[in-house]
Amino acid sequence: MISEPQGRCQPRGSSPVAEADAFVLYDEARCRGADLQLQPNAVGLLSLGPATCKDKLMQAAGRLRLLGRGQTLQMVASSEVTAKIQRLANANQHAEPSTQAALRWVMHNTVQATLHGITQWSRQGLFFATTKGYPDRVLTDEVMDLHAMYEASCHVQPVSKLVKLQAGSARKRVTGSGPFASRMSSLVDDIVSSSAEHGKGHSCVSFAADEECEREVEREEEEEEEVERQVPRMKPATEIDWEYDALLRVRSPDELPKSAGVMRLEEGLVYMFRACASLTAIPWPKSMSCTTNFLCSVHGTHAKQMEYQRSVRALVLFHDGSVLLVSEREADAILELLWTPQPGQLVSVLRTREAPVLVSLPYLRQAWESGSPMKLGHRLVSAGSWQSASGNDAPVPQQLLPSLMSLQLFDGDTRFRTVAQKQHLHGLMRRKRQAAEELTSMRGKQQLLSRSDLAAACEDDLFLD
């Protein structure tokens, strides 16, 4: 079928649009043997699945009849498939895999599928050998007990040994019910020898279950491949208290005492994540700062700090647009300062509208996107009393967009609501796909990256709906 620009969908033979002028889509079910007259300089885009084998790859590439003689082919894969290719090739996880590495991975999948076929072939051949000439042997006892079906564990062993065990079980099954049919005993020996020859040097998973149960477990393994990783125990970093009442006297994070350990977020990332150049290549705003307590969450190497990085929740917003990221414990201490009556009350030397605001990132984002005042924001006016930053306050200024976008990006967000946000995000992340993968992986949100606004912002051109 050919879908025309006017919206009509007609059979290929009756459509006025020629095959060579169409954008052709081949799906897996209808790819084998399809022959369409494409442009001599056509470019094919071949997508690699989680277990693509040689036959499917060759059938897909074979749709380009002039491949290598004017027509070209490019391969694409999801981040999960790309990681598998890189692991097999022992390549740099941050480098784009080569065509040779992709083909080597496809052949590895083909070998594994062939080995799986050997066990299936041997099992079916042994069943034929034991039932030939004895129809009563076709009937087997039905196993309904769950312990008998799933109790035994599965383990890896050589293909030749597994087939020998299957042959031994087959011989035991016919004992007492008559001999093998003519030449069936030699067929069993041939199956064992052929399996040992074709499966030499390879192993597969052995199941102590019946055939139906085994097929069920194998299907589950094919549908879901789960990587278990033992997370080591880490010692939390001890946070250092500082003069929180200093926030009542300063107009920017740079004026806070040294005990607060304030540093530019860009400088902190360079120090903590210097092993990951992609994160430090992002142009983080100069107006974003953080405390040492926020940046250092555990004792350990810089790589461990990256895995246990704090989420962005509480922050202090200053009148000049600068932002200070604080830990949850620091935010609680600041709130305690505002709510607990003090013997000698400390009052901010700044005007009310110039006083810093302690706010949560989700509420700040909601206020900016809706153009309304912030909710649950606390102005740092005086110790022992607090003043809401909402009420009659003006909406969050649009000039805060760079800092807000960087905060969301650092927190691992992948979806952005407004056109202005998407355009600014594209300016930050253009051609920085590796940094996007590192950020989402650090936050445990790598599954949200595919087809997201963040993924679109990493491309050369930004297409807005």
Side-chain angles (χ1 to χ4, degrees):
M1 302 295 289
I2 295 182
S3 179
E4 302 176 7
Q6 294 80 10
R8 296 177 299 179
C9 189
Q10 298 186 22
R12 181 165 51 117
S14 58
S15 175
V17 179
E19 300 170 356
D21 299 328
F23 181 80
V24 182
L25 295 175
Y26 295 98
D27 61 357
E28 184 177 329
R30 283 165 286 273
C31 182
R32 186 178 296 270
D35 189 11
L36 299 178
Q37 301 297 324
L38 305 178
Q39 292 281 359
N41 60 345
V43 179
L45 190 66
L46 194 154
S47 59
L48 299 176
T52 300
C53 295
K54 176 185 174 183
D55 58 337
K56 293 182 180 180
L57 178 72
M58 296 300 294
Q59 285 295 328
R63 299 315 98 211
L64 298 174
R65 301 301 189 185
L66 298 178
L67 183 61
R69 293 177 291 170
Q71 295 178 344
T72 56
L73 181 68
Q74 297 183 8
M75 290 184 285
V76 295
S78 64
S79 57
E80 293 82 4
V81 173
T82 303
K84 292 181 180 179
I85 297 174
Q86 292 170 328
R87 282 197 300 268
L88 183 64
N90 293 324
N92 185 358
Q93 297 294 319
H94 304 309
E96 182 177 345
S98 62
T99 303
Q100 290 79 3
L103 295 178
R104 191 177 299 113
W105 174 77
V106 170
M107 292 304 301
H108 172 76
N109 293 342
T110 306
V111 171
Q112 296 302 318
T114 303
L115 293 176
H116 177 71
I118 291 176
T119 58
Q120 292 287 345
W121 170 79
S122 61
R123 186 183 297 108
Q124 295 172 4
L126 293 172
F127 183 79
F128 171 79
T130 55
T131 58
K132 175 68 173 179
Y134 296 90
D136 56 307
R137 294 178 183 170
V138 176
L139 298 177
T140 57
D141 295 333
E142 185 176 11
V143 179
M144 301 295 294
D145 183 38
L146 292 179
H147 286 285
M149 295 174 65
Y150 296 99
E151 174 181 48
S153 61
C154 55
H155 53 279
V156 178
Q157 59 183 349
V159 173
S160 57
K161 182 179 179 180
L162 176 60
V163 176
K164 283 183 180 180
L165 293 175
Q166 293 176 347
S169 300
R171 295 183 188 277
K172 290 180 181 179
R173 191 151 60 93
V174 301
T175 303
S177 60
F180 281 103
S182 177
R183 294 180 294 180
M184 290 299 104
S185 181
S186 60
L187 176 61
V188 172
D189 296 333
D190 292 340
I191 291 174
V192 173
S193 60
S194 298
S195 299
E197 178 182 357
H198 296 293
K200 183 178 180 181
H202 298 283
S203 302
C204 61
V205 180
S206 172
F207 299 89
D210 64 0
E211 185 175 351
E212 181 179 355
C213 177
E214 184 173 341
R215 286 198 301 267
E216 177 185 340
V217 176
E218 288 173 351
R219 282 196 300 269
E220 291 179 357
E221 284 194 341
E222 291 175 359
E223 292 173 359
E224 180 178 359
E225 181 179 347
E226 190 171 319
V227 178
E228 296 184 2
R229 185 168 62 104
Q230 187 70 26
V231 180
R233 294 186 61 181
M234 301 297 298
K235 182 180 179 181
T238 302
E239 296 192 30
I240 302 175
D241 289 320
W242 47 278
E243 298 84 354
Y244 301 111
D245 56 4
L247 289 168
L248 304 175
R249 305 185 297 270
V250 299
R251 290 180 170 83
S252 70
D254 296 334
E255 300 177 11
L256 288 172
K258 292 184 178 180
S259 58
V262 176
M263 66 181 75
R264 292 277 186 267
L265 180 63
E266 182 181 19
E267 298 173 357
L269 294 181
V270 170
Y271 172 72
M272 297 298 298
F273 306 145
R274 55 177 175 265
C276 183
S278 61
L279 292 183
T280 57
I282 299 176
W284 303 101
K286 302 293 184 182
S287 59
M288 289 178 57
S289 303
C290 65
T291 62
T292 305
N293 291 334
F294 173 84
L295 197 61
C296 302
S297 57
V298 296
H299 292 288
T301 62
H302 299 292
K304 295 301 180 184
Q305 295 285 354
M306 187 172 177
E307 293 182 12
Y308 292 89
Q309 186 58 226
R310 300 182 193 274
S311 298
V312 180
R313 289 296 175 264
L315 54 97
V316 179
L317 180 62
F318 291 84
H319 184 68
D320 61 355
S322 56
V323 175
L324 175 66
L325 304 181
V326 296
S327 67
E328 294 87 347
R329 184 175 179 275
E330 289 175 319
D332 291 341
I334 296 172
L335 288 176
E336 183 180 2
L337 173 69
L338 298 180
W339 292 347
T340 305
Q342 303 292 329
Q345 189 177 29
L346 298 174
V347 181
S348 174
V349 299
L350 308 175
R351 291 183 300 176
T352 301
R353 290 299 182 91
E354 296 179 356
V357 178
L358 177 66
V359 67
S360 176
L361 176 60
Y363 286 109
L364 178 62
R365 176 180 179 180
Q366 181 189 35
W368 191 92
E369 293 178 350
S370 61
S372 59
M374 287 182 292
K375 296 180 180 179
L376 298 182
H378 298 76
R379 283 204 178 275
L380 309 183
V381 177
S382 63
S385 65
W386 63 275
Q387 180 176 341
S388 173
S390 56
N392 297 324
D393 282 6
V396 179
Q398 295 296 314
Q399 291 78 4
L400 194 62
L401 175 62
S403 297
L404 178 60
M405 290 299 304
S406 299
L407 288 172
Q408 293 181 237
L409 181 63
F410 184 64
D411 203 38
D413 286 349
T414 59
R415 300 287 180 181
F416 299 86
R417 182 176 178 181
T418 66
V419 174
Q421 287 177 315
K422 296 177 182 179
Q423 290 175 339
H424 186 81
L425 181 66
H426 183 248
L428 287 175
M429 298 301 296
R430 183 173 179 265
R431 296 184 179 180
K432 295 183 177 67
R433 174 75 183 206
Q434 181 181 339
E437 294 177 356
E438 293 287 353
L439 280 171
T440 52
S441 177
M442 180 177 68
R443 299 300 186 184
K445 301 178 181 179
Q446 57 268 35
Q447 72 278 5
L448 303 178
L449 179 60
S450 178
R451 301 179 183 275
S452 66
D453 298 326
L454 178 56
C458 298
E459 303 297 333
D460 281 335
D461 298 316
L462 180 64
F463 299 95
L464 300 174
D465 297 334

